[in-house]
Amino acid sequence: MQNEKVTAIVLAGGSGARMGAACKKQYMLLAGRPLLFYALHAFEQSAVDEIVLVTNEADYCRQEILEKYRIGKVKEIVPGGAERYHSVYAGLLAAEGSRYVLIHDGARPFVTQDIIREAAEGAKRYRACAVGMPVKDTVKIADENGFAAQTPRRDTVWQMQTPQAFSYPLILKAYERVRKENPEGITDDAMVVEYAGEAKVKLLRGSYRNIKITTPEDMALAKCFLGDQV
């Protein structure tokens, strides 16, 4: 039988400098639990077969999240790198033997079971897909002097989210090329696949609530989503 193993790679290696907090944002408490808990719990409850956690705080995560909240699908914890793509590559190496991978930012606590399921199905159908939402506002492309140069059609512009899901051989090959050629301006996994030219990336609708916690304003919004009045 063909291997159909699906692995979620959850990234929790960022510094969270824009949050301005005493601890890294992925460990800040949201309704009494570390922010990272919510993404891990979502994948724990999903149909993915296993989770690879990328973090430089393995002991803390193991004791304060995995053991405390009984998250058992994390099969390996690997250290992150200097840049996001280094961390993703480390996670990919740890996911060897998988057929499909879902790459998710640990600072996105509101990923749902529907989003996870559709991303996994999208990877199987299209080989490469990414969750996002159409933008609500008009977007301007600025020139080098800060003047509006272009106004793209709003119905063609998406704000990208995670998870982004891929055939494992495809994304591994694409990342190996990027690591070798080191192009500038790569900001997400879909761009890695686009750069490598291995496949077109299908866009799947996520949720406007599937926000990434980056600034204090995001944390305030997250508390509202949870109904937390603290």
Side-chain angles (χ1 to χ4, degrees):
M1 181 181 294
Q2 184 181 15
N3 171 31
E4 293 290 318
K5 184 167 74 170
V6 179
T7 298
I9 299 173
V10 178
L11 305 173
S15 64
R18 284 177 287 180
M19 183 62 70
C23 68
K24 294 183 178 181
K25 65 182 178 183
Q26 55 267 36
Y27 308 120
M28 293 178 63
L29 296 184
L30 177 61
R33 293 175 174 175
L35 183 65
L36 178 59
F37 157 80
Y38 294 94
L40 291 173
H41 179 72
F43 285 104
E44 176 76 14
Q45 299 299 312
S46 77
V48 304
D49 297 293
E50 64 182 33
I51 302 168
V52 172
L53 175 59
V54 183
T55 179
N56 292 314
E57 288 80 25
D59 290 342
Y60 172 87
C61 289
R62 189 177 291 109
Q63 297 169 12
E64 298 299 324
I65 302 178
L66 306 186
E67 294 176 0
K68 186 174 183 178
Y69 298 106
R70 298 182 181 180
I71 295 175
K73 285 187 178 180
V74 176
K75 301 305 181 184
E76 191 163 354
I77 301 176
V78 297
E83 302 292 341
R84 184 183 188 278
Y85 76 90
H86 295 130
S87 296
V88 174
Y89 186 68
L92 288 171
L93 294 181
E96 183 179 7
S98 301
R99 178 59 182 164
Y100 304 99
V101 291
L102 279 66
I103 304 170
H104 186 69
D105 293 322
R108 289 188 187 271
F110 298 110
V111 62
T112 66
Q113 296 303 308
D114 286 344
I115 291 173
I116 294 171
R117 181 178 62 254
E118 290 173 13
E121 291 174 355
K124 295 175 182 179
R125 181 174 180 181
Y126 302 107
R127 300 175 64 223
C129 64
V131 170
M133 290 298 289
V135 299
K136 297 180 180 180
D137 300 318
T138 297
V139 173
K140 297 287 185 181
I141 308 298
D143 65 18
E144 62 275 12
N145 296 313
F147 290 94
Q150 299 178 46
T151 306
R153 284 174 43 194
R154 189 167 58 186
D155 61 338
T156 66
V157 179
W158 285 51
Q159 178 177 332
M160 300 315 300
Q161 303 175 350
T162 64
Q164 299 188 0
F166 308 92
S167 157
Y168 179 78
L170 181 147
I171 190 65
L172 181 63
K173 182 179 179 181
Y175 259 96
E176 288 174 343
R177 178 173 174 182
V178 164
R179 280 173 52 83
K180 180 179 179 180
E181 300 180 8
N182 197 28
E184 295 183 357
I186 298 291
T187 57
D188 73 349
D189 310 298
M191 288 184 70
V192 172
V193 172
E194 293 162 10
Y195 175 83
E198 294 293 330
K200 294 182 68 174
V201 179
K202 177 67 174 178
L203 301 183
L204 305 176
R205 288 180 69 95
S207 166
Y208 288 116
R209 289 197 168 210
N210 186 25
I211 61 173
K212 184 177 181 180
I213 307 301
T214 304
T215 66
E217 292 81 5
D218 298 327
M219 184 63 83
L221 184 58
K223 291 179 179 180
C224 290
F225 287 163
L226 286 179
D228 184 0
Q229 301 302 313
V230 175

